[in-house]
Amino acid sequence: MTALLIVLAAIVILVVGYVTYGSWLAKQWGVDPKRKTPAHTMEDGVDYVAAPPAVLMGHHFSSIAGAGPINGPIQASVFGWVPVFLWCVLGGIFFGGLQDFGSLFASIRNDGKSVGEIIRTSMGERAKKLFIIFALLVLILVIASFVNVVAGTFFTAPDDAGHVAVGFVSHPTNNQTTAIISLLFILLAVCYGVLTNRFGMKTVTATVIGIIGIVAIVALGLNVGFAMGRTAWIIVVGVYIAIASLLPVWIMLQPRDYLSSFLLYAMMGIALCGIFYSAFSGSATFQLPAFTGWNTAIGPLFPALFITVACGACSGFHSLISTGTSSKQLDNEANAKAIGYGSMLIESALGVISLIAVGVISTGYSAELGSPASAFANGIAHMFHDNSVVAALLTLAVSVFALTSLDSATRLSRFMFSELFLKENEATWKDAKGLRKCITHPLVGTLVMVVIGCILGGLSLSQIWGLFGAANQLLAGIALMAVCSWLGNVGKNNKMFYFPMAFMLCATLTSLCITIINKFKMIGAGTAAWGDWFQLIFAAAMAVLAVILVIEAYQNAQNNKAKRAAARRR
């Protein structure tokens, strides 16, 4: 019954937060349903394409979620359920939701441009370039993390002789089932995109066909799987995300994320049913203690809790999605609150559900439970008396989360890689000259980011995730700072950003400093591997860039304050 009460409390608080605080933010900023969005004023049939609200909601939620709200809260469960619960719920309402909604709103008021462009308008060209470099470093970690997660949910382990089966198999494992369904899902998404955008089929009719298709491929995947090794899957996933990032959004991004959202909603529905069922049937007992202490195996509660939970409460990656893809597809400003703010709160609810999942099979997460994705699937399945079909479906849903984030992250990295080398008067790579025209070509940026991300994806998830969490949360602090600065420049209320911005910057810079110190100690002791050197260099680079950006923002704020004071004196 404890688990049920925790989930119900989370849902009630999040709904109240959406209705009250979310509506207040929309009023403060002046969301205007009558104002045309960039999807209409700048439509190009490739990136700027207006999407029905349900379709965009599916894309946005699928993209921002990834594996984050499952991995993060489960790993942070070592602190006990109370700290994770409070951070997921309160962090989602006052930190993550604020950032996501604010970023989306700022972007649609700036022609659907990225956070980097928003920074340029309020802080200058140098600050924009520094931010893009920082964001690209984070996107490399996003691609590496989720390539690792996807390969981990697809791969077939080698036999005793070290051989890995390749090809179709009957009586598949959960991983092999997930692999074949995910491959077929891509084909289904393309069919949906063609039907709706080239043959004019109505969304409702196409959705019904799409759902029937999902049921069919799931049924097939439960009986026939596809086997390959982990490295092979990393290569396949890399090729897929490279192609997907270059295609028009209506072919792959919109339909795939929309259809996958039904799997994701179904996953949350199954999980909730399992929690209700176990509460009244006694099929599972919630074992997670309320609080285990200030220091755990993953570090002290501050900053480790706020870094590890990541996407379950606040995520800088969300600001890149909001300003990189969603703002270019938003049909009406009236939908910005539901898509920007509402999606984050749904993700917070998923974070709490993930916490419950690990709590019914353990007193806290440990490596013995397998990956966090496996712990989540096994925990929910345990509520249904260890039902193997439920476990397979949930493993599939986790991989769908990760794949949709990969699609969007790679497309974002393509945008930002080009922006880094374009001059202020150049709108696209076609306007560049000489070598820069080659460097800013979409194919070049895509290949560079995918290759680096996939190589790093070969590291263990634990080596990537700790660094990803800090980088991701630091990006959140910078995104909050960017939107805060822009709102101040256009004369809108930005005071609600002050504390979340300062807190996220302090927590993440502290975490990065701890990482840097620990890596220097390992180097001094002669125990550092190349992965430790990678973490040290990455952490140091991000910390330096973040400090420079904070200084730039402070100087900009002081200059604007001086200008307003001078104007008043006149």
Side-chain angles (χ1 to χ4, degrees):
M1 191 62 72
T2 301
L4 178 59
L5 293 176
I6 292 171
V7 169
L8 290 178
I11 292 173
V12 169
I13 296 171
L14 291 170
V15 169
V16 170
Y18 177 80
V19 172
T20 57
Y21 192 59
S23 299
W24 180 77
L25 291 175
K27 184 177 180 180
Q28 290 294 304
W29 299 338
V31 172
D32 183 4
K34 297 179 181 179
R35 187 185 180 110
K36 285 189 176 182
T37 64
H40 294 288
T41 59
M42 303 183 68
E43 184 174 4
D44 63 4
V46 179
D47 296 312
Y48 288 85
V49 179
V55 174
L56 183 55
M57 184 75 171
H59 155 69
H60 186 80
F61 177 55
S62 300
S63 297
I64 66 170
I70 293 171
N71 279 2
I74 286 179
Q75 293 189 61
S77 65
V78 294
F79 287 107
W81 69 264
V82 169
V84 180
F85 170 85
L86 290 175
W87 180 231
C88 281
V89 173
L90 299 180
I93 293 172
F94 296 108
F95 289 70
L98 173 69
Q99 179 214 226
D100 294 13
F101 188 13
S103 298
L104 180 61
F105 177 73
S107 182
I108 59 179
R109 289 297 178 90
N110 283 273
D111 297 329
K113 293 178 180 176
S114 70
V115 180
E117 286 296 322
I118 294 168
I119 285 179
R120 185 185 65 79
T121 61
S122 58
M123 295 165 56
E125 184 69 19
R126 184 175 64 175
K128 169 198 165 183
K129 297 291 186 184
L130 290 171
F131 173 81
I132 290 175
I133 293 171
F134 182 87
L136 287 172
L137 292 176
V138 175
L139 285 169
I140 286 173
L141 292 176
V142 171
I143 294 171
S145 298
F146 292 146
V147 162
N148 192 300
V149 170
V150 172
T153 56
F154 282 6
F155 87 109
T156 300
D159 58 24
D160 294 337
H163 299 126
V164 178
V166 177
F168 295 98
V169 294
S170 57
H171 307 294
T173 64
N174 284 356
N175 286 26
Q176 293 164 349
T177 289
T178 301
I180 189 65
I181 294 175
S182 297
L183 292 175
L184 293 173
F185 203 94
I186 294 169
L187 297 177
L188 180 65
V190 173
C191 292
Y192 179 95
V194 171
L195 287 175
T196 54
N197 289 276
R198 284 296 175 263
F199 291 96
M201 184 177 288
K202 298 295 184 181
T203 300
V204 174
T205 305
T207 300
V208 172
I209 294 173
I211 292 174
I212 293 172
I214 292 173
V215 173
I217 63 176
V218 168
L220 175 62
L222 291 172
N223 294 281
V224 179
F226 191 80
M228 275 202 311
R230 186 171 180 274
T231 302
W233 276 120
I234 289 176
I235 294 171
V236 169
V237 170
V239 171
Y240 161 71
I241 60 176
I243 294 173
S245 73
L246 294 167
L247 292 173
V249 291
W250 64 266
I251 293 179
M252 181 67 71
L253 193 73
Q254 282 183 355
R256 189 186 185 288
D257 292 358
Y258 174 57
L259 291 177
S260 68
S261 69
F262 288 99
L263 273 178
L264 307 180
Y265 300 143
M267 178 190 76
M268 293 184 68
I270 291 171
L272 287 172
C273 289
I275 293 169
F276 273 88
Y277 177 72
S278 64
F280 294 103
S281 69
S283 60
T285 303
F286 187 66
Q287 307 173 52
L288 206 59
F291 183 59
T292 61
W294 297 100
N295 288 285
T296 67
I298 63 173
L301 189 139
F302 181 89
L305 171 71
F306 308 99
I307 301 305
T308 307
V309 171
C311 307
C314 184
S315 168
F317 177 61
H318 296 188
S319 68
L320 302 184
I321 297 293
S322 293
T323 64
T325 58
S326 297
S327 62
K328 296 176 177 63
Q329 302 173 62
L330 189 73
D331 184 53
N332 190 300
E333 276 195 15
N335 302 322
K337 174 189 164 187
I339 291 166
Y341 196 73
S343 292
M344 178 63 239
L345 300 195
I346 295 174
E347 189 168 353
S348 294
L350 178 57
V352 175
I353 291 171
S354 302
L355 183 69
I356 300 302
V358 73
V360 300
I361 57 174
S362 174
T363 56
Y365 177 70
S366 63
E368 288 73 22
L369 297 176
S371 68
S374 297
F376 174 80
N378 293 332
I380 302 300
H382 183 60
M383 299 177 191
F384 292 99
H385 302 287
D386 297 313
N387 188 295
S388 60
V389 173
V390 170
L393 290 175
L394 292 174
T395 303
L396 167 67
V398 173
S399 74
V400 167
F401 266 118
L403 268 177
T404 50
S405 289
L406 273 171
D407 292 354
S408 298
T410 311
R411 184 175 289 264
L412 290 171
S413 66
R414 167 168 70 82
F415 293 153
M416 303 194 85
F417 192 90
S418 292
E419 282 183 19
L420 181 62
F421 297 99
L422 289 173
K423 292 184 177 180
E424 192 171 345
N425 61 341
E426 295 170 343
T428 71
W429 67 274
K430 295 178 182 179
D431 300 322
K433 305 295 182 183
L435 181 60
R436 285 188 305 101
K437 188 166 188 175
C438 176
I439 295 174
T440 55
H441 192 283
L443 184 59
V444 173
T446 299
L447 290 177
V448 169
M449 297 297 290
V450 169
V451 169
I452 295 175
C454 287
I455 290 173
L456 294 178
L459 294 170
S460 69
L461 184 61
S462 61
Q463 289 176 298
I464 305 171
W465 191 259
L467 194 55
F468 164 72
N472 189 35
Q473 305 306 73
L474 188 52
L475 178 60
I478 294 172
L480 287 164
M481 181 176 69
V483 179
C484 177
S485 179
W486 174 77
L487 285 170
N489 284 353
V490 297
K492 295 183 182 295
N493 185 3
N494 65 353
K495 293 182 176 60
M496 68 286 288
F497 283 85
Y498 291 175
F499 179 75
M501 172 182 66
F503 182 85
M504 296 310 298
L505 289 171
C506 288
T508 50
L509 285 172
T510 300
S511 178
L512 287 173
C513 288
I514 291 173
T515 298
I516 292 169
I517 292 170
N518 288 339
K519 296 309 172 185
F520 270 122
K521 288 180 179 178
M522 293 180 69
I523 292 169
T527 58
W530 80 270
D532 298 305
W533 281 96
F534 155 71
Q535 291 183 6
L536 171 63
I537 294 169
F538 236 81
M542 288 186 293
V544 170
L545 284 170
V547 169
I548 294 173
L549 280 168
V550 170
I551 294 172
E552 291 273 348
Y554 176 76
Q555 292 176 340
N556 175 73
Q558 292 300 108
N559 290 337
N560 287 337
K561 184 177 179 181
K563 289 177 182 177
R564 287 193 294 269
R568 285 195 297 268
R569 286 194 296 270
R570 288 197 298 267

